[in-house]
Amino acid sequence: MTRILFAVVTIVFLVSCNNINFEKEPSSKYVLVIHGGAGTILKKNMTPEKELEYRAKLEEALLTGGDILSNGGTSLDAVTQTIIVLENSPLFNAGKGAVFTEEGVNEMDASIMDGFTGSAGAVAGVRTIKNPILAARAVMEKSKHVLLTGKGADEFAGKQGLEIVDSNYFYTPNRWNSYEKAKAKRALENEKHGTVGAVALDIYGNLAAGTSTGGMTYKMKGRVGDSPIIGAGTYADNNTCAVSATGHGEYFIRNVVAYDIAALMKYTRVSIKEAANYVILDKLKKIDGSGGIIAVDSTGRFTMTFNTPGMYRGVITSDGLMEVKIFSE
Amino acid sequence: MTRILFAVVTIVFLVSCNNINFEKEPSSKYVLVIHGGAGTILKKNMTPEKELEYRAKLEEALLTGGDILSNGGTSLDAVTQTIIVLENSPLFNAGKGAVFTEEGVNEMDASIMDGFTGSAGAVAGVRTIKNPILAARAVMEKSKHVLLTGKGADEFAGKQGLEIVDSNYFYTPNRWNSYEKAKAKRALENEKHGTVGAVALDIYGNLAAGTSTGGMTYKMKGRVGDSPIIGAGTYADNNTCAVSATGHGEYFIRNVVAYDIAALMKYTRVSIKEAANYVILDKLKKIDGSGGIIAVDSTGRFTMTFNTPGMYRGVITSDGLMEVKIFSE
């Protein structure tokens, strides 16, 4: 009798631990989805050369993360290294290609979340860290905090041995031109949201999500969007999904976009696609909240959903799918 | 036939607009709930004089907001003015009574959200604004942004004509002693979370929520907790509820606490009390996420839920209820 009771208790315990994967055999299934920003990205405004450049960089990012996942690396590592490729490119509004604030400086935000442990890290308003996503990860792994802002975050990254660069590193002629234009109009440049992000499922069944951005051109000093906000720009939970967002950050914060998709899956049992469609194409669209998300669930289903004319995006999976897209279909 | 169709369409439209209260007659029903922080607040550690001081200040805050609501003021105004009373008192960890960071300075966070329009404002890491809740409100009403951090937020508040004070204003002997103790131990002071907050339902049926804090004693420079994060520390939506949280901020951010309560109500149709119990007493308690929340829904039902030994809290309603409590029952 005691034995039967013990067996029942053990089974109940194991079932209730289904999100803790210690008893799961690694599968060979993995998925990596990335974005490089959503907005008014139209074929007619793109030269063939520019389009090739974007496609090549998105592919490089996918292959970097895909390699990590296919070699048994974690979703956290895949997300981190994939985002570093995009941060190091001047094409995207993150790291090297970050846009300029009202003051003509770069203030960057990034965050990362581990769907297995529920831990998270983020930095906001950093000015000297070459790869803000690494700083977000250091906050998660090396501090007791989730969100560090401003100089405190820059100093923390330095102490953790992360690469600190001169502010000149972030100068790119393209972004400076956008800044000059915005300054002349004295208005935010709202048309394109070049935030980058990645979400991944690894062969251990663990999810992770990360996002990195330079924010909006001509944004006010100290303005922070949704990218470093857990629940708004980034969210991951093995029980539901991993999400990274890009768009008009204020709308994404107020609508708690990333977590709302997870909450819909958890509480109403809809699929990841249905949840994303409702939040991005219905809720946000109705209130002119432009942007999109990428998301992957714990079974490997994924979605790239946006309400703008285009979103730089791509996916690579263990099934051999590898796809890069820019415009809406 | 056309007339009937028109009538049906009109009714459907009005029903679907039930959260937009333009056709609602003002009722006389209002509710204001406040908190002054949760934590290891035990009767045995409290002198009768100290307890009286806390009770008197919480009552003053309730009466301030209650007066506004009973005179037809908005939930936003009630929340703002109630929080100002608590910020101006050295008893609570917000405004005047803010705790000190690792560096021995004060860095404060605050946020506010309007359940009618869904708009929100927040400041993080501000050092010179006498009433951070007013700065959060100014961000909501006078900027295109939701979250401003650091010097940018301080400067914005100054430009908006808000009262700027010398950093000495925030010096209180009690908080400095806590800082000295934490410094000697080189550890965060985690035992008590003195954040303040208020949620209100006004006679127009509109909800609002606000939160203000000095964070954690000996926190790292730039550390930001859940208080200025919409969805984590503060959330309001006329369709569900208004929530203000206090607790170990990192856990509240990762669990998107304030919005999770609203999401549970919206997606699973549980009551405000059931939603709060699940999030605070079950989910957070299991992972040692200490703290609590106050919340009110659009029908006036409210809850003050915490998993700590005590929470400074109180409620005032149009039904004549007025109650201040400190310890758990």
Side-chain angles (χ1 to χ4, degrees), chain A residues 12-69:
Chain A
V12 168
F13 174 70
L14 288 176
V15 168
S16 73
C17 291
N18 73 334
N19 62 321
I20 305 174
N21 292 309
F22 47 72
E23 82 281 10
K24 239 191 195 174
E25 283 293 305
S27 74
S28 59
K29 181 163 195 158
Y30 64 82
V31 176
L32 171 70
V33 194
I34 65 173
H35 70 75
T40 315
I41 307 163
L42 296 167
K43 187 110 187 161
K44 62 173 186 183
N45 301 332
M46 182 84 84
T47 63
E49 294 74 28
K50 204 81 195 157
E51 188 177 334
L52 273 180
E53 263 189 83
Y54 275 105
R55 287 187 180 276
K57 191 52 77 176
L58 290 166
E59 273 173 27
E60 181 191 335
L62 283 174
L63 290 172
T64 302
D67 262 8
I68 292 169
L69 293 170

Side-chain angles (χ1 to χ4, degrees), chain A residues 118 144-149 152 155-156 220-224 229 250 254 259-260 264 266-267 283, chain B residues 118 144-149 152 155-156 220-224 229 250 254 259-260 264 266-267 283:
Chain A
K144 294 186 169 177
H145 298 314
V146 169
L147 175 55
L148 290 182
T149 61
E155 288 170 15
F156 170 77
M220 276 177 63
K221 179 180 175 180
R223 178 265 186 185
V224 171
I229 307 296
E250 279 70 12
R254 290 193 293 250
Y259 180 68
D260 199 25
L264 275 160
K266 189 164 51 173
Y267 299 139
K283 257 174 107 167
Chain B
K144 293 186 170 180
H145 298 316
V146 169
L147 175 55
L148 291 182
T149 62
E155 288 169 15
F156 170 77
M220 277 176 64
K221 179 179 175 179
R223 178 266 186 183
V224 171
I229 308 297
E250 279 70 11
R254 291 195 292 251
Y259 180 68
D260 199 25
L264 275 160
K266 188 164 49 173
Y267 299 138
K283 258 173 108 166

Side-chain angles (χ1 to χ4, degrees), chain A residues 117-134:
Chain A
T117 61
S119 60
V123 291
V126 297
R127 295 184 175 196
T128 63
I129 304 166
K130 187 184 175 197
N131 292 110
I133 194 68
L134 286 176

